[in-house]
Amino acid sequence: ELRALLAAGVAACERAGRAARNGRYRFPVSEAFSSEVVMSCEEILLRVLDIVDEQMPSVYEALFRPAEGWASRQPLNAQGLQPSEPPPPHLEESCGSLRELYMAGELEWSEGEPAINVYTANGFFGAHKDHLALTVLIPLTAPNEDFSAGGTGFWSGNRAVDENPQGPPAVVLTPPLGTALVFGGDVTHAGMPVAAGVRSVFVCSFSSRTPASSDDRVHGLQGGSSVSSQFYG
């Protein structure tokens, strides 16, 4: 399944008709790929959500359950502000897990995501924060087999570290195929430069949907979203 998604991503690069920016291509899954690829991405994502629900229930409790104090537990948004409008209280009864929130369409997604990113030689993604409750990053390539160097770098400190960190990351992770990275939106991270080969990931960042959520950020894999030129940069 992961290799099939990689093949779809590489084919999309060939169809793009443009050079990669910073050695990186980004493709919104719902817009760039066939229904078969979309369905495969959904199946894989749901497996990850099930694992998080079963093995890390505190993720839902702390970041998604619409209980008192929800806003204070959310990462800061891109303007450095704490979200103030919580999700509807009824979701606590109707959607008691990440899977249920997903199936009910009660998630807000980062622009253009879920997405498949493809990094070629010298490709990178600069240091940034995702500003949403949770990010799921699933490798589609194997380190030292498909690419060298690369990986995802993380800076320690959460909110104490901004999106222009000084010095190298505290750790660089290159997880194998069949695994996933899961982390919060306050964590500064970067796609480290690929020395050779091709590195690809299936990635999505999301929070609970609220009345303040933009209409074009609530569709996820169902399509209907739009992206700005900055998404590709």
Side-chain angles (χ1 to χ4, degrees), residues 98-163:
L98 294 179
R99 170 183 271 271
E100 290 175 346
L101 284 171
Y102 176 88
M103 297 303 293
E106 295 292 348
L107 294 175
E108 174 184 350
W109 305 85
S110 185
E111 181 183 15
E113 294 184 0
I116 290 177
N117 296 352
V118 181
Y119 300 83
T120 56
N122 300 315
F124 68 95
F125 200 137
H128 64 285
K129 298 176 186 285
D130 290 331
H131 300 293
L132 294 174
L134 198 69
T135 293
V136 173
L137 188 152
I138 300 170
L140 304 181
T141 44
N144 302 319
E145 179 180 340
D146 296 310
F147 66 93
S148 58
T152 305
F154 294 91
W155 282 262
S156 58
N158 290 335
R159 293 186 186 180
V161 177
D162 63 20
E163 296 180 87

Side-chain angles (χ1 to χ4, degrees), residues 176-192:
L177 281 170
T179 63
L181 293 178
V182 179
F183 52 94
D186 276 328
V187 179
T188 300
H189 61 287
M192 306 304 289

